[in-house]
Amino acid sequence: MYRLRPLLFTAAAFSCAMLLAQPEKPKTKVVLYKDRIAAQWDTVNCVKNVIKVNPLLFFRGEIPVYFEHALSPRLSLELGVGVTYRNFLNLTIAGDNADADDFGAGTKIIPHPSFHIGARYYLTDDLEPQGQYLQVELAYLRYGKDISEKDSTGFFNGKTNRDDRTFNDVRLYYGYQSISGTSNWLFDVYAGVALRSRHLEIVNEQLDISAGKWNYTTEVKDDIVPAFFLGVKVGLGW
């Protein structure tokens, strides 16, 4: 019996050493969905920049180009720079540049720059700037034209009157942006409302039949009115 004790002791020690030498089992890790989105978003293959145009605004007298940069999977910043020109549509919605420009002789369009800056919040997590969104935007628009005066014979006498209309908007949009699954082309549809601060210098041209001459007056108006928007943008991301 005493002879077996060293053998039993050696066997027990060897068993303990084998148990201690076994590798530790890896701990189970849980990767949250938002963490996975954030990790995948931070890659070079993910679209974070977009150039867009709004072709419908051309008919309203503005030609802007927009640049959107994604700051996170939900938040992006959109900047727009353009030029105002001839307004082809006659709309009567309060807050809009309601009068279509005269296409006849005697009206000279004065181009002015336009500016847009907005913060966009997407309502769902996505690797790229797409899905439903809410956007707050500040916009500056100025429309100008020179209207030539006519004499009693109906010919222009060389004098002009400046018609000038300036709009400062605070806008709220709800929209949906989608990037193509096979390319980086996208479309962006939206609708919105705004509070519009207007400074208007409106030139009125009237014929005084009894005096046989044309009269020109300038009406100045400053007010705040609502405005409404509905549009579509198309663009390319990278």
Side-chain angles (χ1 to χ4, degrees):
M1 182 67 181
Y2 291 100
R3 294 178 180 178
L4 294 176
R5 286 182 178 179
L7 295 175
L8 293 174
F9 178 79
T10 302
F14 181 76
S15 299
C16 292
M18 291 296 294
L19 290 174
L20 293 174
Q22 289 183 355
E24 183 181 357
K25 293 182 179 180
K27 296 181 180 179
T28 303
K29 296 182 179 179
V30 178
V31 179
L32 298 178
Y33 173 75
K34 288 188 176 181
D35 293 336
R36 180 168 60 84
I37 289 291
Q40 291 178 303
W41 183 81
D42 192 20
T43 64
V44 294
N45 295 325
C46 183
V47 171
K48 296 185 178 68
N49 302 288
V50 179
I51 288 288
K52 294 179 279 189
V53 295
N54 190 333
L56 297 180
L57 286 183
F58 169 78
F59 299 100
R60 296 302 323 282
E62 185 187 5
I63 308 174
V65 177
Y66 298 90
F67 172 74
E68 181 183 357
H69 175 67
L71 303 175
S72 74
R74 284 189 180 240
L75 185 64
S76 70
L77 185 67
E78 186 178 74
L79 303 176
V81 178
V83 61
T84 58
Y85 203 63
R86 185 180 298 277
N87 180 19
F88 294 91
L89 300 179
N90 186 6
L91 299 178
T92 57
I93 299 176
D96 283 335
N97 186 27
D99 298 331
D101 293 321
D102 188 356
F103 291 90
T107 300
K108 179 183 178 182
I109 303 300
I110 308 298
H112 290 290
S114 64
F115 303 98
H116 303 259
I117 179 170
R120 178 176 294 192
Y121 180 78
Y122 288 92
L123 302 181
T124 57
D125 284 317
D126 200 291
L127 295 178
E128 297 176 325
Q130 63 179 340
Q132 301 179 69
Y133 65 84
L134 295 174
Q135 178 171 330
V136 177
E137 179 180 288
L138 302 178
Y140 169 83
L141 303 170
R142 183 182 178 188
Y143 296 88
K145 53 189 174 183
D146 284 338
I147 299 177
S148 298
E149 292 189 4
K150 300 174 184 177
D151 58 23
S152 58
T153 62
F155 291 96
F156 299 116
N157 59 16
K159 297 180 181 179
T160 59
N161 296 274
R162 176 64 56 87
D163 187 293
D164 197 280
R165 311 183 188 200
T166 303
F167 305 127
N168 290 283
D169 295 354
V170 179
R171 304 179 181 182
L172 177 62
Y173 295 134
Y174 170 78
Y176 179 82
Q177 181 164 284
S178 178
I179 301 177
S180 171
T182 57
S183 68
N184 287 347
W185 288 100
L186 62 85
F187 71 90
D188 179 1
V189 294
Y190 65 91
V193 296
L195 279 180
R196 168 166 287 181
S197 175
R198 304 189 301 183
H199 174 73
L200 308 177
E201 299 179 12
I202 304 173
V203 175
N204 296 310
E205 180 185 58
Q206 293 181 332
L207 174 61
D208 187 346
I209 299 178
S210 59
K213 66 177 183 177
W214 291 87
N215 293 325
Y216 294 86
T217 59
T218 300
E219 175 188 1
V220 179
K221 180 187 298 185
D222 291 282
D223 57 13
I224 298 177
V225 297
F228 306 91
F229 303 92
L230 181 65
V232 60
K233 301 172 186 174
V234 293
L236 182 65
W238 70 92

